[in-house]
Amino acid sequence: MSLSPPLSPSAVVTRLRAAGCVFAEDEADLLLAAARDAGHLFAMVESRADGLPLEHVLGWAQFRGHRFAVDPGVFVPRRRTEFLVEQAVALAPARAVVVDLCCGSGALGAALAASLERVELHAADVDPAAVRCARRNVAAAGGQVYEGDLFAPLPAATLRGRVDVLLANVPYVPTDEIDLLPPEARIHEARVALDGGADGLDVLRRVTADAGRWLAPGGHLLFETSERQVPRAVDTVVRGGLAPRVVTSEELYVTVVIGTRAAPGE
């Protein structure tokens, strides 16, 4: 099917629905609002119909009431992950030192910073495209973004032992299940942001092994995992010397594990 500009709103909906977009009407409204002209609208509609994630087409994602830039290839923050940030908001002191590991677009750290009084924000990712994107998103919070593997690029001399909240949105899809993901993720997001190794917990194990050295006394590590992975995920937290707690949201179908470093006297 080939359409030529200009496209009417109903034609946009029809094209998106034919391509399998479940929320065609809502997506059409967003594309129509973002279009600079008829040619731009046509290009965006065709890109979306070809399977490009809506957020990559628009160039932004909505997360906890804010719009964050999402560049092509960068992991799109999921709505369910708002639950993780909600838990972090409840645990963080008003003036918090926050680290966002595997930060992707930087949306998690930036959204947390927007909910707190004052934040010293650091973020890191191994993917250069994600780092470039995150630097734009954390700028409003005065945050710093580093390129490298997990804790390696962080300023250890000034940060280790001071982190109040460690957000670790680590990949947790088992390698053998990557091919089962929706094409939007499998084809258009960096594999390093999805692949968690044989059982999905390889990256998590590396994070929990070092997290206790970076957390301040009473500080918290938070990460998402699947329900079936919870027992092993909790075990990695315990092995890292942290006290685990599991919280879930049935509405968002998400499980978050919180690991806390003991405060003095505990």
Side-chain angles (χ1 to χ4, degrees):
M1 180 177 180
S2 176
L3 297 175
S4 299
L7 295 176
S8 67
S10 61
V12 173
V13 171
T14 299
R15 179 70 173 116
L16 295 177
R17 188 177 290 137
C21 299
V22 177
F23 303 104
E25 291 82 0
D26 294 337
E27 294 193 12
D29 288 343
L30 290 169
L31 294 173
L32 286 160
R36 296 187 297 269
D37 51 42
H40 185 218
L41 175 61
F42 180 79
M44 287 194 298
V45 171
E46 289 304 297
S47 293
R48 180 64 184 125
D50 286 342
L52 192 67
L54 177 67
E55 294 81 3
H56 289 163
V57 175
L58 294 171
W60 55 265
Q62 191 85 7
F63 188 79
R64 277 186 61 83
H66 303 276
R67 285 187 179 184
F68 295 108
V70 181
D71 294 339
V74 175
F75 184 80
V76 176
R78 285 17 177 194
R79 178 173 175 261
R80 65 173 183 267
T81 308
E82 293 182 354
F83 181 71
L84 184 151
V85 177
E86 289 171 11
Q87 304 310 304
V89 170
L91 292 169
R95 300 186 176 191
V97 177
V98 174
V99 168
D100 184 0
L101 279 190
C102 304
C103 69
S105 67
L108 274 66
L112 176 57
S115 299
L116 301 176
E117 179 182 315
R118 184 175 176 181
V119 172
E120 178 185 331
L121 175 60
H122 302 265
D125 202 289
V126 73
D127 179 9
V131 170
R132 289 192 295 271
C133 185
R135 283 179 175 149
R136 303 206 307 278
N137 287 324
V138 304
Q144 297 293 318
V145 185
Y146 310 87
E147 182 181 333
D149 185 38
L150 300 180
F151 298 100
L154 297 176
T158 57
L159 191 58
R160 186 177 288 163
R162 296 182 53 239
V163 179
D164 298 302
V165 176
L166 173 56
L167 306 172
N169 197 24
V170 298
Y172 59 92
V173 180
T175 301
D176 289 346
E177 297 179 18
I178 294 292
D179 289 342
L180 304 178
L181 292 174
E184 290 183 352
R186 187 178 71 248
I187 298 172
H188 297 289
E189 293 179 324
R191 188 180 179 101
V192 71
L194 304 170
D195 192 341
D199 66 351
L201 300 177
D202 282 0
V203 181
L204 177 64
R205 290 187 185 94
R206 296 175 56 218
V207 170
T208 55
D210 287 337
R213 289 189 281 271
W214 290 85
L215 290 173
H220 309 280
L221 162 69
L222 299 95
F223 61 89
E224 228 176 77
T225 193
S226 71
E227 185 177 359
R228 68 178 178 175
Q229 292 169 323
V230 166
R232 282 173 294 170
V234 166
D235 182 62
T236 67
V237 171
V238 173
R239 289 174 182 270
L242 305 178
R245 179 163 61 94
V246 179
V247 290
T248 61
S249 169
E250 294 184 3
E251 177 189 359
L252 297 175
Y253 194 63
V254 62
T255 299
V256 169
V257 178
I258 302 170
T260 302
R261 180 184 171 189
E266 292 184 354

